């Protein structure tokens, strides 16, 4: 991956629907080059998916999971990623092992997600942080 790829990815992170012609103009290349680069980045798995970021008025939170040492965190992460209201699942280093980023209708729904996570036998502890504001980088 080179600087042009990183520039294209930076633009797509802010607006995944931005036309390739506009991206090409911003990065100083042709539309065909941008299209080919995006296809290659997708085929190579660098771009996993194109998504929509919303401002729904919902409650967003990070539910941090501390799991037992013998747990397959990749498997647990894959299962949690299927849960409704989970936008992202991150495997992280540090005190916790997995972070669920949830977008819920209200705090009661966030609390239900916390309860669901705590009911998993692999989960030893949870910590939750409400997301107060977010900006795209």
């Amino acid at each position: 991956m080179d600087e042009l790829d990183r520039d294209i990815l930076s633009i797509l992170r802010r607006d995944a629907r931005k036309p390739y012609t506009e991206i090409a103009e911003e990065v100083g290349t042709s539309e065909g080059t941008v299209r080919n680069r995006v296809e290659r980045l997708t085929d190579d798995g660098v771009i996993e998916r194109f998504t929509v970021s919303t401002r729904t008025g919902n409650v967003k939170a990070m539910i941090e999971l501390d799991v037992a040492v013998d747990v397959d965190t990749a498997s647990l992460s894959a299962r949690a990623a299927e849960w409704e209201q989970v936008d992202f699942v991150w495997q992280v280093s540090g005190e916790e092992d997995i972070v669920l980023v949830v977008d819920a209708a209200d705090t009661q729904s966030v609390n239900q997600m916390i309860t669901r996570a705590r009911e998993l036998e692999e989960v030893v502890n949870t910590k939750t942080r409400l997301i107060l504001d977010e900006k795209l980088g």
Side-chain angles (χ1 to χ4, degrees):
M1 193 161 65
D2 63 13
E3 191 65 30
L4 180 57
D5 289 336
R6 284 188 278 282
D7 291 344
I8 292 168
L9 287 173
S10 178
I11 293 167
L12 289 173
R13 280 188 189 105
R14 288 181 181 84
D15 182 1
R17 291 183 45 133
K18 189 165 207 155
Y20 291 162
T21 53
E22 291 179 25
I23 296 171
E25 188 175 308
E26 277 188 52
V27 299
T29 192
S30 70
E31 180 272 339
T33 297
V34 170
R35 184 174 7 87
N36 290 336
R37 295 278 183 128
V38 170
E39 286 175 9
R40 181 179 46 78
L41 290 167
T42 303
D43 291 345
D44 290 350
V46 174
I47 296 174
E48 293 180 340
R49 64 185 174 138
F50 292 90
T51 187
V52 175
S53 177
T54 60
R55 296 199 187 279
T56 58
N58 287 353
V59 176
K60 293 189 178 185
M62 295 186 312
I63 302 172
E64 302 172 11
L65 309 180
D66 183 13
V67 302
V69 293
D70 62 341
V71 170
D72 178 0
T73 55
S75 174
L76 180 57
S77 294
R79 288 190 348 239
E82 298 298 320
W83 294 356
E84 191 174 332
Q85 301 177 339
V86 172
D87 282 348
F88 300 98
V89 178
W90 302 326
Q91 292 180 58
V92 296
S93 64
E95 204 172 310
E96 280 71 32
D97 304 293
I98 298 171
V99 177
L100 310 179
V101 179
V102 302
D103 184 352
D106 50 33
T107 54
Q108 183 179 5
S109 296
V110 172
N111 198 38
Q112 289 170 348
M113 294 294 296
I114 295 166
T115 300
R116 185 174 184 181
R118 287 180 176 167
E119 288 173 346
L120 297 172
E121 65 182 50
E122 301 97 333
V123 174
V124 176
N125 192 27
T126 65
K127 184 187 306 179
T128 303
R129 302 169 192 263
L130 294 181
I131 299 171
L132 302 176
D133 191 19
E134 65 183 350
K135 303 282 187 264
L136 292 175

